[in-house]
């Protein structure tokens, strides 16, 4: 059966956060989007096709992204920590006592932090396209996507429609500056010290052709989360959950069962 996808806002930590929700299963799952991401732009195939008898699926727009504007997005040094708290507080406000996290890219970093900080609330964790540190190579990669006019039309168009050109362009530049700052920490640390605190079952997926996140990041996360599982998708790029949605959804649902 196709159950509809509802869309709503709820006040969390002084901000009206927008989210989409679908399914009526007993296992609650939160989808955490990447940079400039939102439920509608980042998780269409998951909202549409994940098993709605088994799962209740929530996709959120972090503050300053998607329809969770105002406020405008900013990148203070603790922006990942802030997103992690917002995400967990959102699920609690929606009355989910325990839930799993599916985090992509920046949302994967947010999910790692949330799983480490709130171990009694998180059931299982899936991350892909994530990194626990920022290297000089990463900074070079980020600067390569700084200018949104150089992005492919396919990726750019939905974001320009959602944000307007100015907000989209300025927020991307601010993100590059914000994430690059982590490279100044020792070891470029974002959340490396938190990984051993993650006690829930964890599944890391990496696309071997990901141009944005070198494979060493996935391997580092796998090595430092005890008992975690790593799946390499040989043809996967950064958006493997969209490009190979059927395979991705199957792997993830099997892990979550």
């Amino acid at each position: 059966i196709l159950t509809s996808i509802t869309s709503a806002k709820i006040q969390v930590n002084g901000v009206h956060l927008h989210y989409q929700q679908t399914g009526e299963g007993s296992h609650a799952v939160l989808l955490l989007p990447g940079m400039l991401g939102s439920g509608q732009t980042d998780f269409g195939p998951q909202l549409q096709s994940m098993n709605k008898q088994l799962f209740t699926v929530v996709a959120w727009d972090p503050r300053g992204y998607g329809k969770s504007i105002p406020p405008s997005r900013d990148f203070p040094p603790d922006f990942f920590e802030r997103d992690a708290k917002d995400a967990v507080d959102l699920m609690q406000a929606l009355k989910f006592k325990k839930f799993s996290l599916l985090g992509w890219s920046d949302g994967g970093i947010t999910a790692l932090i949330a799983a480490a900080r709130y171990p009694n609330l998180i059931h299982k964790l899936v991350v892909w396209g994530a990194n626990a540190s920022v290297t000089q190579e990463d900074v070079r990669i980020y600067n390569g996507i700084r200018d949104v006019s150089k992005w492919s039309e396919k990726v750019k168009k939905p974001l320009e429609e959602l944000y307007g050109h100015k907000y989209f362009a300025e927020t991307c530049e601010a993100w590059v500056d914000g994430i690059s700052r982590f490279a100044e920490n020792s070891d470029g640390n974002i959340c490396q010290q938190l990984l051993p605190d993650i006690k829930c079952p964890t599944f890391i997926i990496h696309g071997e052709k990901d141009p944005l996140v070198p494979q060493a990041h996935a391997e580092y996360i796998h090595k430092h989360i005890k008992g975690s599982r790593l799946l390499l998708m040989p043809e996967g790029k950064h958006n493997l959950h969209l490009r190979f949605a059927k395979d991705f959804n199957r792997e993830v649902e099997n892990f979550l069962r």
Side-chain angles (χ1 to χ4, degrees):
I1 46 163
L2 279 169
T3 57
S4 63
I5 300 170
T6 61
S7 174
K9 281 188 165 187
I10 188 167
Q11 189 164 342
V12 175
N13 298 324
V15 176
H16 293 276
L17 293 177
H18 176 262
Y19 66 95
Q20 290 170 287
Q21 184 172 332
T22 188
E24 51 235 11
S26 59
H27 189 155
V29 175
L30 177 64
L31 308 177
L32 300 94
M35 177 259 280
L36 279 163
S38 66
Q40 75 178 61
T41 55
D42 288 21
F43 293 120
Q46 285 68 48
L47 286 163
Q48 276 144 23
S49 306
M50 278 184 75
N51 185 314
K52 304 195 179 197
Q53 281 81 56
L54 293 179
F55 304 108
T56 298
V57 181
V58 177
W60 82 309
D61 299 357
R63 61 169 77 198
Y65 285 166
K67 293 179 181 158
S68 297
I69 303 174
S72 291
R73 182 71 183 185
D74 62 348
F75 300 94
D78 68 341
F79 74 91
F80 285 117
E81 297 272 356
R82 182 181 65 180
D83 283 348
K85 184 175 179 356
D86 281 348
V88 167
D89 291 349
L90 167 73
M91 291 300 276
Q92 302 243 278
L94 295 177
K95 302 285 182 265
F96 296 109
K97 288 183 177 56
K98 209 169 179 181
F99 46 93
S100 291
L101 300 173
L102 268 64
W104 177 38
S105 199
D106 269 19
I109 301 172
T110 301
L112 291 168
I113 293 169
R117 295 255 187 247
Y118 308 95
N120 49 342
L121 301 179
I122 309 307
H123 183 40
K124 293 185 179 184
L125 172 65
V126 183
V127 295
W128 66 105
N131 46 293
S133 65
V134 175
T135 66
Q136 289 306 321
E137 184 193 358
D138 296 329
V139 172
R140 188 181 54 73
I141 292 169
Y142 303 149
N143 278 302
I145 63 166
R146 182 188 196 91
D147 180 356
V148 298
S149 68
K150 298 193 175 116
W151 288 27
S152 78
E153 212 39 57
K154 201 176 106 201
V155 180
K156 190 163 63 174
K157 197 167 181 277
L159 292 169
E160 289 203 314
E161 285 171 2
L162 179 58
Y163 293 114
H165 178 77
K166 186 174 187 286
Y167 187 91
F168 169 45
E170 288 175 358
T171 304
C172 182
E173 288 192 11
W175 175 82
V176 171
D177 292 338
I179 193 141
S180 297
R181 258 188 252 116
F182 289 103
E184 296 160 20
N185 294 344
S186 71
D187 295 332
N189 182 43
I190 301 175
C191 62
Q192 291 171 320
Q193 77 290 357
L194 294 177
L195 300 182
D197 296 340
I198 297 174
K199 306 297 185 211
C200 65
T202 300
F203 186 20
I204 300 135
I205 305 174
H206 184 76
E208 293 190 45
K209 294 186 175 172
D210 189 332
L212 296 175
V213 181
Q215 188 167 315
H217 284 303
E219 288 168 353
Y220 182 95
I221 293 167
H222 173 47
K223 186 179 160 190
H224 290 88
I225 300 178
K226 206 176 165 213
S228 64
R229 177 177 158 218
L230 174 62
L231 172 68
L232 299 175
M233 290 178 68
E235 293 303 310
K237 294 187 182 173
H238 196 57
N239 66 343
L240 55 86
H241 64 297
L242 302 176
R243 177 73 181 73
F244 301 105
K246 225 178 173 153
D247 295 340
F248 175 88
N249 287 359
R250 186 188 64 246
E251 288 284 354
V252 166
E253 287 187 6
N254 287 339
F255 169 75
L256 292 174
R257 277 170 202 273

